[in-house]
């Protein structure tokens, strides 16, 4: 077997229809596992009242986004609800090459593109307990018009079908259970032998 370099970081991709509780679960995972970095996406949508530029997203204009697409800055990007969203290729590689783990909160089309380019990534889908509860949570977020909520709710049905190709699914009924499941998935993935070849070799020289 060839001698491994340092173990590259793990990419964790988490997707869900809007309102399922994905942001809440991501926040809790990052708080419990501070070694994970969050991949800050670029978007052309405007910030919500509680959002911070550079922390939640890099908020940029459509023109700036288009220029970055043309310059090949994104490993994946989509147009969603009339806005652009994308992940910077440099940001991903910088983190992974340092052996750090990276959490991507992205929708299924982007997740599929990541799967093609990073087949070792782990893919987790968050499901609401049922569609009535999904609608209630969308309304509870309280930062969108009734029109925007309706659009997101109708898109949820097509996004839900994508769950079938994800490796892990979490039903976010009880938040504490869902958070524990997310942390357990991460911890189990970190114990996979094929992710630890570099460390094993450094200690036991098996190669
Ligand atoms: P998403 O990022 O998937 O759009 P959020 O994390 O913003 O969803 O959650 C949507 C709303 O549902 C928020 O008000 C959040 O506090 C609430 N929520 C999240 N998980 C649960 C849960 N398990 N039970 C009840 N409410 C929840
Ligand atoms: P929101 O506008 O609610 O923050 O996000 C809308 C959707 O865009 C969510 O499903 C979120 O996961 C997704 N999203 C956020 N950033 C990216 C990204 O960089 N790429 C892709 N493909 N989707 C993203």
């Amino acid at each position: 077997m060839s001698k491994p370099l340092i173990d590259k970081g793990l990419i964790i991709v988490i997707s869900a229809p809007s309102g399922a509780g994905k942001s809440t679960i991501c926040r809790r995972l990052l708080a419990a596992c501070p070694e994970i970095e969050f991949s800050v996406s670029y978007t052309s949508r405007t910030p919500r009242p509680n959002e911070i530029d550079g922390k939640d997203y890099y908020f940029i204009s459509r023109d700036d986004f288009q220029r970055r697409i043309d310059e090949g800055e994104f490993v994946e990007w989509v147009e969603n609800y009339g806005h652009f969203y994308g992940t910077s290729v440099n940001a991903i590689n910088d983190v992974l090459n340092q052996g750090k783990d990276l959490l991507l909160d992205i929708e299924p089309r982007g997740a599929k593109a990541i799967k093609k380019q990073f087949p070792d990534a782990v893919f987790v889908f968050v499901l609401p307990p049922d569609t009535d509860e999904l609608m209630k949570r969308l309304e509870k977020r309280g930062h969108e018009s009734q029109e925007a909520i309706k659009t997101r709710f109708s898109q949820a049905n097509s996004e839900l079908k994508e769950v079938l190709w994800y490796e892990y699914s979490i039903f976010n009924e009880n938040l504490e259970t869902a958070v524990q499941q997310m942390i357990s998935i991460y911890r189990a993935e970190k114990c996979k032998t094929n992710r630890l070849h570099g460390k094993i070799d450094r200690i036991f020289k098996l190669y």
Side-chain angles (χ1 to χ4, degrees), residues 157-171:
N157 282 324
S158 59
E159 284 191 358
L160 277 167
K161 291 185 190 130
E162 297 292 327
V163 66
L164 297 175
W165 66 263
Y166 282 69
E167 292 161 287
Y168 294 98
S169 302
I170 294 178
F171 268 98

Side-chain angles (χ1 to χ4, degrees), residues 14-18 22-23 39-43 45 48 51 56-57 65 74 76-81 83-88 104-111 141 143-144 152 155 159:
I14 177 164
S15 305
S18 281
K22 176 169 43 91
S23 313
S39 166
V40 180
S41 293
Y42 287 77
T43 184
R45 83 154 162 74
R48 295 174 185 143
E51 287 180 326
D56 297 288
Y57 284 103
F65 203 106
F74 297 114
E76 64 75 33
W77 65 270
V78 293
E79 191 162 13
N80 205 10
Y81 313 115
H83 307 295
F84 286 127
Y85 295 87
T87 309
S88 150
L104 270 65
D105 166 347
I106 61 176
E107 55 70 68
R109 283 170 292 161
R141 297 199 309 182
H143 48 61
E144 269 155 344
R152 284 181 184 249
Q155 187 163 322
E159 284 191 358

Side-chain angles (χ1 to χ4, degrees), residues 85-130:
Y85 295 87
T87 309
S88 150
V89 67
N90 287 340
I92 285 211
N93 287 329
D94 285 354
V95 172
L96 293 188
N97 290 336
Q98 292 174 56
K100 291 186 181 163
D101 302 329
L102 185 66
L103 177 65
L104 270 65
D105 166 347
I106 61 176
E107 55 70 68
R109 283 170 292 161
K112 243 184 197 153
I114 295 291
K115 193 173 173 67
K116 268 203 186 135
Q117 295 171 73
F118 299 93
D120 290 340
V122 56
F123 295 84
V124 183
F125 200 96
V126 175
L127 292 157
D130 54 52

Side-chain angles (χ1 to χ4, degrees), residues 43-44 58-68 84:
T43 184
S44 65
Y58 295 108
F59 296 98
I60 59 175
S61 67
R62 281 186 78 85
D63 285 351
D64 190 2
F65 203 106
Q66 188 60 56
R67 184 185 56 75
R68 288 168 192 262
F84 286 127

Side-chain angles (χ1 to χ4, degrees), residues 14 20-31 103 124 126-127 137 170-175 177-183:
I14 177 164
K22 176 169 43 91
S23 313
T24 309
I25 292 173
C26 284
R27 267 197 303 277
R28 291 283 303 271
L29 174 69
L30 293 167
L103 177 65
V124 183
V126 175
L127 292 157
R137 288 187 194 168
I170 294 178
F171 268 98
N172 180 20
E173 189 156 15
N174 175 283
L175 180 62
T177 307
V179 169
Q180 286 315 313
Q181 287 174 344
M182 186 64 232
I183 295 170

